[in-house]
Amino acid sequence: TTSPSSSSRSQNSPMPKSLAIRQLLDCSEREFWDRIFRSEDFNRYLYEGLGFEYELLEWNAESGYRKARVWPGHQIPKPLAKVFGERFSYTEEGTYDPVVEHYQFRVIPSALPERIRAVGSVVVEGVSDSQCERKVSVEISADVLGLGRVIESYLVNTTREQYAKNAALVNEYLAGFR
């Protein structure tokens, strides 16, 4: 017999690429969730700093549900631009659980949303009164004939780069409160 998890994937489905990011941030756990995660001022600062366009579509503080659309500002490699189109964007949908202080999200690309999948989570652990470690885990898969692995590698690399810039922007933003 097969388990439900193994039978739900077709024989040709790619195995997702996993990405684990750990970053030291200059704030407490509480300050991260209150001053960074829940702050639209910070989100505007962040996406402007990354060179992206950003639009908050929905934020429900009670349920923790958040939905935003983002247009990356960097050039996409030509083979991928043909797949993604001229004006590529993505929507991030996620839910923050305040009880366990955990954010789960999925990223839905504007092109091939049924073939490109990215899901992840964010947790934060205190290191000291003035620092915490953000742990981001992401799984990315692209079931696109001939380009799946190229798309996955590109998305993993750009995700890693953007989170490195993100951490620097978090610390820079928080320095304004000190």
Side-chain angles (χ1 to χ4, degrees), residues 75-88 110-112 116 144 147 150-151 154:
Q75 283 293 99
I76 297 173
K78 285 186 183 193
L80 299 185
K82 290 179 183 176
V83 173
F84 291 146
E86 291 295 314
R87 189 79 171 120
F88 174 72
S110 58
L112 303 172
I116 299 171
V144 180
L147 285 175
V150 172
I151 291 169
Y154 172 75

Side-chain angles (χ1 to χ4, degrees), residues 127-145:
V127 174
S128 70
D129 289 345
S130 60
Q131 287 191 315
C132 66
E133 183 178 49
R134 174 173 57 186
K135 298 176 182 180
V136 181
S137 44
V138 182
E139 281 192 357
I140 297 171
S141 64
D143 190 9
V144 180
L145 186 63

Side-chain angles (χ1 to χ4, degrees), residues 8-73:
S8 65
R9 280 186 116 31
S10 75
Q11 294 288 11
N12 297 326
S13 285
M15 290 300 297
K17 292 205 181 282
S18 295
L19 177 62
I21 299 168
R22 298 170 74 114
Q23 299 167 313
L24 200 58
L25 303 176
D26 295 334
C27 62
S28 67
E29 287 176 78
R30 176 65 26 230
E31 191 175 16
F32 173 82
W33 293 116
D34 292 345
R35 225 177 230 163
I36 299 300
F37 181 78
R38 291 186 183 96
S39 169
E40 271 312 294
D41 286 341
F42 171 73
N43 281 313
R44 284 188 290 280
Y45 179 86
L46 170 68
Y47 288 109
E48 183 179 303
L50 294 173
F52 291 7
E53 288 179 50
Y54 163 81
E55 177 186 8
L56 180 65
L57 300 172
E58 188 176 341
W59 169 239
N60 183 321
E62 282 186 34
S63 69
Y65 178 77
R66 184 175 184 284
K67 183 176 181 179
R69 188 155 180 206
V70 177
W71 293 264

